[in-house]
Amino acid sequence: MASKTIALQVPLKLALTLGLLTATAAFSVAPVFAGDCPAGQAATTDIQEHPSKPVGVTDTVLSAIDLSSKGEAWKGNMLRLRKLVVQPGGVVPWHEHNVRPANILIVEGSITEYRSTCKVGIEHPAGDVTAEFGQLAHWWKNNGKVPAVLYSADVLPPAMHEDHMM
C-alpha cells in the first residue's frame, strides 16, 4: 500500500499561531503572562486619557463559530478568531472585557497596552500573550516603527454583535 502525503493549505505562521492560541486556552487555569503591570505601578482608579476611535488599525474576522448549539447559556455567543494589524502610531481604542473574554497573541512588531489598572504603559513584544477578562478596561498603541500584528480569540456575546470589532 503506497502512502500519500497530504499538503495542508494553511501557512506555517498561521498554523503556529492557532496552535499557540489553543495551548494558551488549555493552560489558562493559572497563567503567567509577560507584560504585566510593573511592580509598584498598579492603579486602583483609571488615571489615563484614552482614545475612543480606532486609528490605523485593520480588524479582520478570520473565523467565527456560533456557540448556540452548546445550550441555552451559549445562545447567540460567537467564538471568534481575528487578526488585527496596527500601523505605527495606530490605536485600538478604549474598551472593556467584563463580558467579552479574549486571549491576544502578538506575532509581529510590538504594541503598548494602557490598562485602567496600571499607571504606565505595558510593552508587549512579539511572542507575548495576554489574557483579557473581568474588570479590565484598556487601549493599545503601536509606538514602534513597524506594524504590530495581533491574533485575538474572543467570545462575543449577542449584545455586542452589532458593529463590534475592537
Side-chain angles (χ1 to χ4, degrees):
M1 178 184 287
S3 66
K4 293 183 181 179
T5 302
I6 300 173
L8 296 177
Q9 299 298 316
V10 177
L12 180 59
K13 186 179 269 187
L14 181 56
L16 291 173
T17 299
L18 293 174
L20 285 172
L21 285 171
T22 302
T24 299
F27 294 103
S28 63
V29 175
V32 176
F33 297 105
D36 287 333
C37 186
Q41 296 299 315
T44 55
T45 60
D46 180 18
I47 58 173
Q48 305 166 9
E49 297 278 327
H50 32 75
S52 60
K53 302 279 185 208
V55 174
V57 59
T58 58
D59 185 340
T60 306
V61 176
L62 301 175
S63 178
I65 300 169
D66 184 342
L67 299 174
S68 296
S69 66
K70 296 299 176 189
E72 191 61 32
W74 290 99
K75 187 173 182 178
N77 285 276
M78 300 293 290
L79 174 61
R80 302 185 304 173
L81 178 63
R82 299 178 300 143
K83 178 181 181 181
L84 290 89
V85 178
V86 186
Q87 298 300 320
V91 169
V92 174
W94 180 260
H95 58 280
E96 298 178 354
H97 286 278
N98 55 342
V99 296
R100 185 178 59 90
N103 281 316
I104 304 291
L105 171 65
I106 294 80
V107 294
E108 292 180 29
S110 65
I111 194 158
T112 306
E113 176 189 15
Y114 298 92
R115 288 183 173 214
S116 60
T117 57
C118 192
K119 297 175 189 175
V120 297
I122 303 167
E123 189 66 20
H124 294 282
D128 225 3
V129 174
T130 184
E132 304 175 331
F133 187 62
Q135 296 306 309
L136 172 65
H138 64 163
W139 64 284
W140 302 75
K141 183 173 184 181
N142 182 349
N143 293 313
K145 297 184 185 311
V146 298
V149 179
L150 297 75
Y151 285 96
S152 171
D154 65 359
V155 176
L156 186 68
M160 298 180 90
H161 284 204
E162 294 293 319
D163 198 40
H164 184 80
M165 293 302 288
M166 300 296 163

